Amino acid sequence: MFGTILIGLTILFMAANLWFFFTGRKFHKSNFHPPLFQKLFYSLIGITIGFAVLYYLLGMQSVVIRLSTPEGKAGAHDFWDYLYFSGTTMMSVGYGDLVPVGSARFFSLVQAAIGLLLPTAYFAKIMTSDKEHGHVEQEEAYESDEPKN
């Protein structure tokens, strides 16, 4: 009972922090762009679920994940296990408790690449759009103040 209350309070605390972060407060020289962040977030969620479905369908034909044990037992053919594997692969966590085998090895590499490159593209987009709207970095401003020879 006490543990359940602590878990509930912890989730409430995390939700309050997320709400505070996303409530539209303006910070000096903030590069945060809520619509673009939401697009990234929902894209990552959708791609993660899509790969979980792909692993599930591949798992109907043969074993695609094994437990990382000396025996190498086949992982359970359960959608939640595939979703867990997909999430840890997408976020580049890779705990190592589940190991892809067969065709899932290729798809897990593709998914890991997407999980790395998509957020990178997000940050690159934010940094370039900031400069397009007339904001310049301090170093560029200092360079323009120097007399030209």
Side-chain angles (χ1 to χ4, degrees):
M1 170 82 174
F2 182 68
T4 305
I5 292 172
L6 286 178
I7 290 171
L9 288 174
T10 302
I11 291 171
L12 186 63
F13 175 75
M14 290 186 295
N17 277 290
L18 288 172
W19 177 81
F20 180 74
F21 183 76
F22 291 112
T23 54
R25 295 188 183 347
K26 300 278 185 197
F27 297 101
H28 184 62
K29 291 199 76 145
S30 174
N31 290 329
F32 183 69
H33 191 261
L36 194 57
F37 177 79
Q38 289 173 349
K39 186 176 181 180
L40 171 69
F41 179 77
Y42 291 124
S43 295
L44 288 173
I45 294 290
I47 292 169
T48 300
I49 292 171
F51 271 99
V53 170
L54 177 67
Y55 297 136
Y56 184 79
L57 295 173
L58 289 171
M60 293 173 130
Q61 299 173 356
S62 65
V63 174
V64 293
I65 58 171
R66 293 195 177 273
L67 299 176
S68 182
T69 60
E71 300 85 34
K73 295 179 186 175
H77 183 66
D78 179 27
F79 179 76
W80 297 109
D81 285 341
Y82 292 118
L83 185 61
Y84 166 78
F85 174 74
S86 180
T88 57
T89 301
M90 188 67 148
M91 298 299 147
S92 299
V93 175
Y95 290 120
D97 54 343
L98 298 174
V99 179
V101 293
S103 59
R105 292 174 68 180
F106 170 75
F107 290 114
S108 64
L109 286 174
V110 171
Q111 184 181 13
I114 291 171
L116 179 69
L117 296 175
L118 201 58
T120 303
Y122 164 78
F123 289 114
K125 174 79 173 164
I126 284 179
M127 297 310 282
T128 57
S129 68
D130 189 43
K131 288 184 182 180
E132 288 172 4
H133 294 320
H135 299 109
V136 292
E137 299 296 323
Q138 282 186 337
E139 293 141 9
E140 291 175 302
Y142 288 130
E143 290 174 5
S144 65
D145 288 341
E146 294 176 2
K148 295 183 180 180
N149 294 332

